[in-house]
């Protein structure tokens, strides 16, 4: 799976995507993450990526020219490998709610995601028509019912959630245990008894019993 992120803050992604499981997945070649700095697709001296909205209103709007250039340059790369199935995603608080089912669907059915991390008050609406006229569609996604300052966190969220659905990204043990026990189950580790301010905090006995049947049952009812 290749993730292409279009952003005006390319360094935001440096730390999160280069640690832990996502770092390992990139090293193994299971996922590729490419960041496109929107400013590099401008022609003017000041590398302007935004401007005031026509008709007035607060904030700034991402300009259409650099965005179209960025998208078409990513799509051009694609034509070298015709088999890639591409989806273009724009992050906006008004988009379709992203969930685990969408993550599974994206991981199964696509291998090239173009993620547009908008900022400010939005992007020039004409991008939708431009893409439509090229036979493409923008899918608007929201990661939750709140407004963030930009689409960079949503992009990282989706990369994370989609990547862990790709075979081999989680270790065999991690994915097997997730299937057996589910996600978000209560878990415990050493010490068996934790003492704090004179009080003892114990691990449920069944988890120490070695009885796998009983342990699985305990997880099921939790
Ligand atoms: N941009 C700003 N807020 C957002 C959200 N909740 N989801 C996706 N993109 C956003």
């Amino acid at each position: 799976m290749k993730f292409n992120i279009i952003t005006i803050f390319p360094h935001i992604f440096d730390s999160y995507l280069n640690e832990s499981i996502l770092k390992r997945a990139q090293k193994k070649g299971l996922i590729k993450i490419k960041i496109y700095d929107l400013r590099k697709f401008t022609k003017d001296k000041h590398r302007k990526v935004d401007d005031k909205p026509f008709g007035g209103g607060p904030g700034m709007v991402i300009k259409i020219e650099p965005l179209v250039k960025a998208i078409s340059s990513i799509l051009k790369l694609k034509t070298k490998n015709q088999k890639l199935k591409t989806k273009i995603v724009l992050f906006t608080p008004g988009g379709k709610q992203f969930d685990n089912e969408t993550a599974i669907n994206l991981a199964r059915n696509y291998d090239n995601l173009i993620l547009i991390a908008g900022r400010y008050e939005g992007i020039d609406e004409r991008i939708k028509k431009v893409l439509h006229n090229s036979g493409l569609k923008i899918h608007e996604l929201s990661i939750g019912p709140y407004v963030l300052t930009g689409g960079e966190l949503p992009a990282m969220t989706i990369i994370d959630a989609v990547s862990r659905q790709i075979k081999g990204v989680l270790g065999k043990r991690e994915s097997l245990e997730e299937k057996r026990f589910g996600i978000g189950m209560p878990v415990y580790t050493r010490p068996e008894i934790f003492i704090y301010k004179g009080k003892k905090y114990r691990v449920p006995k069944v988890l120490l019993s070695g009885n796998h049947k009983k342990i699985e049952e305990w997880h099921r009812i939790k």
Side-chain angles (χ1 to χ4, degrees):
M1 171 72 88
K2 187 162 182 197
F3 299 97
N4 307 274
I5 311 167
I6 302 174
T7 176
I8 56 172
F9 293 112
H11 298 299
I12 283 185
F13 299 92
D14 290 347
S15 58
Y16 189 77
L17 300 178
N18 292 309
E19 295 284 350
S20 185
I21 291 174
L22 294 182
K23 179 183 177 182
R24 190 178 69 192
Q26 289 177 83
K27 267 198 176 159
K28 281 192 189 170
L30 296 168
I31 60 167
K32 279 203 178 107
I33 302 172
K34 182 113 189 7
I35 294 162
Y36 294 85
D37 181 353
L38 195 59
R39 275 180 216 286
K40 294 207 171 135
F41 296 89
T42 54
K43 272 202 295 207
D44 63 301
K45 204 168 75 192
H46 302 289
R47 312 222 118 182
K48 209 168 156 50
V49 287
D50 59 329
D51 213 330
K52 284 179 282 190
F54 279 122
M60 300 290 265
V61 177
I62 300 260
K63 288 164 74 63
I64 192 162
E65 300 102 317
L67 195 54
V68 169
K69 269 198 190 153
I71 295 172
S72 64
S73 88
I74 297 169
L75 291 172
K76 255 186 222 139
L77 291 177
K78 184 206 145 190
T79 51
K80 284 186 199 155
N81 185 350
Q82 289 290 355
K83 278 184 284 175
L84 286 187
K85 272 204 81 191
T86 298
K87 187 162 187 134
I88 305 174
V89 175
L90 170 69
F91 297 107
T92 127
K96 181 179 169 266
Q97 171 74 60
F98 177 73
D99 55 18
N100 221 34
E101 207 184 310
T102 314
I104 293 168
N105 176 282
L106 291 174
R108 280 206 190 132
N109 301 313
Y110 296 88
D111 40 27
N112 194 41
L113 298 184
I114 300 178
L115 309 174
I116 306 167
R119 279 259 148 185
Y120 311 110
E121 297 314 309
I123 62 174
D124 192 317
E125 189 71 12
R126 289 172 291 182
I127 187 68
K128 291 176 195 164
K129 273 204 180 139
V130 171
L131 291 176
H132 178 80
N133 288 338
S134 309
L136 298 161
K137 208 181 151 203
I138 271 196
H139 297 264
E140 294 184 61
L141 285 185
S142 162
I143 60 158
Y146 38 76
V147 182
L148 301 164
T149 53
E152 283 79 10
L153 281 173
M156 287 192 272
T157 303
I158 277 165
I159 291 173
D160 191 307
V162 171
S163 295
R164 65 194 299 293
Q165 299 298 338
I166 293 168
K167 206 167 165 233
V169 168
L170 294 184
K172 255 202 192 115
R173 229 193 93 210
E174 289 156 320
S175 46
L176 251 175
E177 294 198 342
E178 186 172 304
K179 267 197 199 110
R180 262 180 68 204
F181 298 125
I183 324 169
M185 287 286 134
V187 287
Y188 302 84
T189 188
R190 274 179 280 220
E192 280 178 35
I193 302 170
F194 173 61
I195 303 169
Y196 184 68
K197 292 190 177 172
K199 268 198 174 152
K200 285 183 178 174
Y201 298 84
R202 294 173 194 275
V203 172
K205 268 207 186 100
V206 59
L207 299 181
L208 310 170
S209 68
N211 184 332
H212 296 296
K213 230 175 150 188
K214 277 199 170 146
I215 292 172
E216 271 185 40
E217 199 165 295
W218 183 86
H219 276 112
R220 255 198 303 278
I221 56 171
K222 275 287 157 187

